[in-house]
Amino acid sequence: MDNGQKLQEPGTHRNILATRLDALKRWAEGGSLWPMPFGTACCAIEFMAVASPRYDIARFGSEVLRFSPRQADVLLVMGTITDKMGPVLKTIYEQMPEPKWVICMGACATSGGFYRSYHVMQGIDEIIPVDLYIPGCPPTPEAVLRSILMLEEKISQRGAVSAKQELIDEAARLQPRLEDASVTTLDPPSPELLAFSQSQFDSDHAWVSYLKERLGPLAIEGTADFRGDLTIRISAAYLQEAARVLRDPPLALDMLMDIAGVDYWTRTPRFDVVYHFYSSSQHHRLRLKIGVDESSPLVDSITAVWPAANWYEREVYDLYGIRFRNHPDLRRILTHDGFGDLHPMRKDYPPGLRQPVRYPESEIPPAERSPRGDSPPLEVQPVIMNIGPSHPAMHGTFRLIANVDGDRVETADVELGYLHRNFEKMAETHTYWQTIPYCDRLNYVSPMCNSVGFALAVEKLLGVKAPDRAQVLRVILSELSRVMDHAVCIGTNILDLGLTSDFFYLWELRERIYDLLESCSGARLHISYVRIGGFAEDVPPGFVEQVQDILQAAPRAINDTETLVTRNVVARNRMQGVGIVSPQEALAYGFTGPNLRASGIPYDVRKDHPYSGYDQWQFDIPVGQRGDVFDRYLVRLEEMWQSLRIVAQAIDNLPSGPVLFDDPRVALAPKYGVYTNIEDLMRQFKLIMEGIRPPVGEVYGFSEAANGEGCGSSGGTILTSYPID
């Protein structure tokens, strides 16, 4: 047999060197991945933890994070992907060079999570193929690092060529799933709710008399007062005049906190437009309501009085279809133009009916579009830069359309809605208790604060109060969450200034607080620990010691920030004198929190309207002098010190006792007691439904009419209180 015949035998290899090079190539591709993070929500915040000292993704073959698709081979999709964001994600994927892989991180990106919503994509595999799914809401950093290792193994074993061909074949079969994602329907409001919405009484409040005097008696259509909150219903014809009267002294309601729409569906008039006002100098509130007919949903704009109304009115128009006369720029703000004449917060819109994006992303020229839809002359706008919603310079799911002159931004337009999930719509199909997990995700950097705020609102509505121990625990965990929030805000923003070191110090502080929250609830990020009336359960043993450890460790991280950032000439030059907002502008545009205080307005709800016992703790309110970026940084830094001061006082005065309001009409039964008490509960409910009054001392039950003090539901069943003999 000659040499040529030998080379043709089975099992022999003609290109031995090429085979070894191919194996070497697979090893290199699998052992050094360059991920591009495409983050939109909670999972993006958790992904950032893998770059912190505790986890250090560089040890797992992914030491280089690329924010340009041309330089990445792994697309890490994290968080909720909405229909509006879908075309952006698909474009990013198509711009990546071959071979490329996709890791889908978290429940939302995988399947829509618990967002059975009209605007949430039910899994990114509708538009791009996925190599690896990471479960969790959100997944832990350990799970993310494990997925990197699994992908490396997959690439090394199967090779880039075969993986590429599979992706091409799968991508050709993908089609968006645009069916209705609703899991329930919305019923019309109950007669009790409609009656309550129209209930009026003649208030002798001085403000009512003053408005009647200034506007005339025909302007006031009715008043209502619920638990100390005054509501005045006025005729739509008097709105603009009333706006100026309310803003100016003596009422001095200089802050427009919100404008909301309400759809009563079967009522006439169908809609209410609700205005929430606040006085920063006199610390009082007022709610204004205007009824709007479905046949002519039109109201005057008050943007000329409060510039903050610009975005509020656009949101009401977008979600309810109520138009605002003389609004400077009335266009959708959260949803996309594919909704046409549909407005998803109307009660007759199915909760999960999705609307496709009816145009390819390439056909949308947002960079050349002015707010009014006109094309300005090029000599006025020589360079128009489109930044975001996925961009190295854009840490957030929004888009800036900037008019740039050299390195100076002359004007900018903002486009929102790329993370619009509309918790309000989903809350319509859930109970108060089932809404708490959504609150955790409103601001996933400090979820405890959101859930506490929601619980306080419901507790006020029901007329209940959490036990003293729960009140103090809420303060401790909320203030530590505030520290964590400011640490993330400062740490991520100084990265944009080129100051990397302090990010790691602040992130380590965040991880310490996460450990505390996880020991209480079992979850790192979305804790779902708060309940109406208190907490799900008491804090674990060793809680006080954990808090004291944080109180000892936190000052070092804050002092390091003072040294590395506050005294840094580069940082000061890039923050001082930049983005100055005067006190008047801050109030007019509805600033709150540290941004408002940085402009010199010392408004802090913990001081002006104490809740959860804040009036018993000693702390100061830091305020800025110039209202620039540097002041906003300094205010947050000082608020971290003040929060630690509050926590130190609270932990030393933590009372004993229960952590949940003891009333089965309000608080869910403890899980460990459900099975032992369920027979007794069912016996009482059966007696009530049969019209038999429960024995003396048994105080809860359901009835079909509102014959007692209780809480109504949209289905008409009232949770009724029976007096104790």
Side-chain angles (χ1 to χ4, degrees):
M1 183 181 297
D2 57 26
N3 291 336
Q5 290 176 321
K6 288 182 179 180
L7 292 175
Q8 301 300 321
E9 289 181 358
T12 62
H13 302 282
R14 301 188 61 179
N15 301 318
I16 296 177
L17 182 61
T19 302
R20 291 179 177 175
L21 285 176
D22 184 62
L24 181 64
K25 181 174 179 290
R26 291 200 306 269
W27 171 81
E29 290 173 338
S32 181
L33 299 175
W34 292 8
M36 176 186 170
F38 189 95
T40 63
C42 329
C43 285
I45 294 294
E46 274 294 64
F47 171 78
M48 293 173 67
V50 304
S52 66
R54 179 176 294 191
Y55 301 102
D56 189 9
I57 194 174
R59 295 178 297 166
F60 295 83
S62 298
E63 63 276 8
V64 180
L65 297 179
R66 296 295 185 181
F67 291 88
S68 168
R70 297 294 187 186
Q71 299 174 327
D73 54 9
V74 178
L75 181 61
L76 270 161
V77 183
M78 323 164 222
T80 310
I81 304 299
T82 64
D83 285 326
K84 187 173 182 178
M85 181 66 87
V88 180
L89 172 61
K90 188 173 179 63
T91 300
I92 294 293
Y93 173 78
E94 292 172 346
Q95 290 176 348
M96 294 174 63
E98 299 288 356
K100 54 190 174 185
W101 298 273
V102 176
I103 294 179
C104 184
M105 176 178 172
C108 292
T110 299
S111 63
F114 67 171
Y115 297 110
R116 312 302 295 182
S117 170
Y118 63 82
H119 205 39
V120 174
M121 190 171 291
Q122 303 298 293
I124 65 169
D125 58 351
E126 293 184 359
I127 56 173
I128 62 173
V130 177
D131 289 274
L132 202 63
Y133 294 93
I134 315 177
C137 187
T140 62
E142 292 88 349
V144 179
L145 298 176
R146 174 59 181 157
S147 72
I148 295 290
L149 297 177
M150 293 175 65
L151 183 60
E152 291 176 352
E153 183 180 359
K154 177 180 179 180
I155 296 171
S156 299
Q157 291 179 352
R158 302 174 63 182
V161 175
S162 61
K164 171 186 174 183
Q165 187 59 49
E166 288 179 7
L167 290 175
I168 294 174
D169 295 341
E170 185 177 353
R173 298 190 298 268
L174 293 179
Q175 294 292 333
R177 297 186 294 271
L178 299 174
E179 70 275 7
D180 188 350
S182 302
V183 294
T184 186
T185 58
L186 294 174
D187 296 325
S190 66
E192 293 84 1
L193 180 59
L194 293 178
F196 179 79
S197 72
Q198 295 176 306
S199 60
Q200 307 290 341
F201 70 95
D202 292 328
S203 172
D204 58 356
H205 198 288
W207 297 353
V208 178
S209 302
Y210 178 74
L211 287 177
K212 286 182 178 180
E213 178 183 345
R214 291 292 305 272
L215 304 177
L218 297 179
I220 308 299
E221 296 182 345
T223 59
D225 194 340
F226 182 77
R227 303 202 189 283
D229 291 331
L230 178 64
T231 299
I232 301 177
R233 183 178 291 275
I234 71 168
S235 171
Y238 294 86
L239 175 60
Q240 287 191 327
E241 185 179 358
R244 291 180 172 82
V245 171
L246 294 173
R247 182 196 59 185
D248 299 335
L251 297 184
L253 294 160
D254 50 1
M255 295 182 68
L256 174 62
M257 306 299 291
D258 193 19
I259 301 176
V262 183
D263 180 9
Y264 290 99
W265 197 351
T266 57
R267 193 196 71 177
T268 301
R270 175 173 177 173
F271 303 104
D272 274 352
V273 179
V274 186
Y275 301 81
H276 298 268
F277 299 106
Y278 184 77
S279 172
S280 63
S281 59
Q282 302 182 31
H283 308 299
H284 53 233
R285 297 186 177 93
L286 176 66
R287 184 186 296 118
L288 203 68
K289 286 187 178 182
I290 293 178
V292 181
D293 289 323
E294 181 180 6
S295 59
S296 180
L298 184 65
V299 181
D300 286 329
S301 173
I302 59 172
T303 304
V305 183
W306 286 280
N310 191 318
W311 280 16
Y312 296 153
E313 291 174 350
R314 284 177 59 190
E315 183 177 359
V316 174
Y317 159 69
D318 189 357
L319 300 182
Y320 291 90
I322 299 172
R323 305 188 67 87
F324 292 85
R325 187 186 293 110
N326 297 322
H327 188 284
D329 182 23
L330 193 62
R331 56 188 164 115
R332 290 187 180 272
I333 188 172
L334 296 176
T335 65
H336 54 77
D337 292 338
F339 276 80
D341 295 330
L342 299 174
H343 301 280
M345 271 301 287
R346 292 191 174 191
K347 287 293 190 294
D348 51 356
Y349 188 93
L353 180 59
R354 292 169 59 194
Q355 302 298 327
V357 178
R358 303 181 187 279
Y359 35 70
E361 186 72 9
S362 60
E363 295 181 6
I364 309 173
E368 290 77 27
R369 182 183 66 195
S370 73
R372 295 178 181 272
D374 304 324
S375 297
L378 291 178
E379 60 269 18
V380 177
Q381 293 187 335
V383 178
I384 301 175
M385 182 178 295
N386 187 37
I387 309 172
S390 179
H391 190 277
M394 178 60 63
H395 303 302
T397 49
F398 62 98
R399 170 163 37 193
L400 282 178
I401 306 162
N403 172 26
V404 181
D405 183 8
D407 60 354
R408 181 182 180 86
V409 177
E410 297 291 345
T411 59
D413 184 27
V414 182
E415 185 174 358
L416 305 175
Y418 291 96
L419 190 51
H420 171 59
R421 296 177 286 193
N422 203 346
F423 298 94
E424 297 95 325
K425 190 71 172 182
M426 289 177 286
E428 291 180 338
T429 62
H430 291 66
T431 66
Y432 291 138
W433 295 265
Q434 292 170 332
T435 304
I436 289 174
Y438 293 117
C439 295
D440 282 352
R441 291 155 177 82
L442 287 168
N443 173 11
Y444 31 79
V445 184
S446 52
M448 173 65 66
C449 301
N450 305 299
S451 297
V452 168
F454 173 76
L456 288 171
V458 178
E459 288 163 7
K460 180 178 180 179
L461 181 66
L462 299 178
V464 302
K465 184 179 180 181
D468 291 342
R469 180 174 175 83
Q471 300 274 7
V472 178
L473 287 173
R474 284 180 175 181
V475 169
I476 294 171
L477 295 176
S478 294
E479 291 304 321
L480 290 176
S481 296
R482 188 189 308 273
V483 172
M484 181 170 61
D485 196 310
H486 289 348
V488 173
C489 178
I490 294 173
T492 53
N493 277 278
I494 61 177
L495 281 177
D496 295 336
L497 302 181
L499 306 174
T500 306
S501 299
D502 197 54
F503 165 79
F504 296 109
Y505 299 139
L506 292 173
W507 207 266
E508 181 63 23
L509 173 59
R510 169 188 185 264
E511 289 296 325
R512 286 179 176 270
I513 300 174
Y514 264 17
D515 289 343
L516 176 69
L517 294 173
E518 188 174 9
S519 69
C520 295
S521 67
R524 276 172 51 89
L525 187 59
H526 297 316
I527 52 180
S528 296
Y529 186 44
V530 176
R531 294 293 183 270
I532 310 302
F535 284 104
E537 57 186 7
D538 206 346
V539 293
F543 173 81
V544 173
E545 290 75 15
Q546 276 188 281
V547 173
Q548 290 172 341
D549 288 343
I550 294 174
L551 291 175
Q552 292 179 0
R556 178 179 177 181
I558 303 176
N559 284 326
D560 286 340
T561 305
E562 290 273 7
T563 302
L564 294 171
V565 181
T566 308
R567 304 173 189 176
N568 188 300
V569 175
V570 174
R572 296 175 73 98
N573 289 342
R574 294 184 178 182
M575 291 191 286
Q576 286 182 332
V578 177
I580 296 176
V581 180
S582 68
Q584 296 76 20
E585 289 175 324
L587 292 172
Y589 283 96
F591 278 34
T592 59
N595 291 334
L596 178 64
R597 292 187 281 273
S599 291
I601 305 296
Y603 170 59
D604 191 319
V605 68
R606 298 170 298 173
K607 284 281 191 180
D608 296 319
H609 305 280
Y611 59 93
S612 298
Y614 268 107
D615 51 347
Q616 62 182 308
W617 313 123
Q618 299 295 320
F619 65 100
D620 299 319
I621 305 175
V623 294
Q625 296 180 341
R626 292 186 296 182
D628 58 4
V629 173
F630 194 58
D631 273 359
R632 291 191 278 275
Y633 155 76
L634 291 176
V635 164
R636 285 181 169 86
L637 202 65
E638 180 59 30
E639 285 189 2
M640 295 170 71
W641 287 115
Q642 296 301 322
S643 290
L644 295 176
R645 182 182 173 190
I646 295 172
V647 172
Q649 297 172 71
I651 201 68
D652 289 340
N653 294 276
L654 180 62
S656 59
V659 296
L660 189 63
F661 184 73
D662 187 17
D663 189 328
R665 299 169 301 167
V666 176
L668 299 176
K671 287 183 173 56
Y672 55 80
V674 168
Y675 295 106
T676 58
N677 297 331
I678 191 66
E679 292 184 0
D680 184 55
L681 288 171
M682 293 304 296
R683 177 182 63 83
Q684 296 177 52
F685 291 154
K686 184 175 184 295
L687 291 173
I688 294 167
M689 296 306 292
E690 292 175 353
I692 303 175
R693 192 183 187 284
V696 173
E698 297 180 358
V699 297
Y700 44 87
F702 289 99
S703 76
E704 289 299 324
N707 57 354
E709 298 177 3
C711 168
S713 69
S714 60
T717 301
I718 306 299
L719 188 55
T720 304
S721 167
Y722 293 90
I724 301 176
D725 288 346

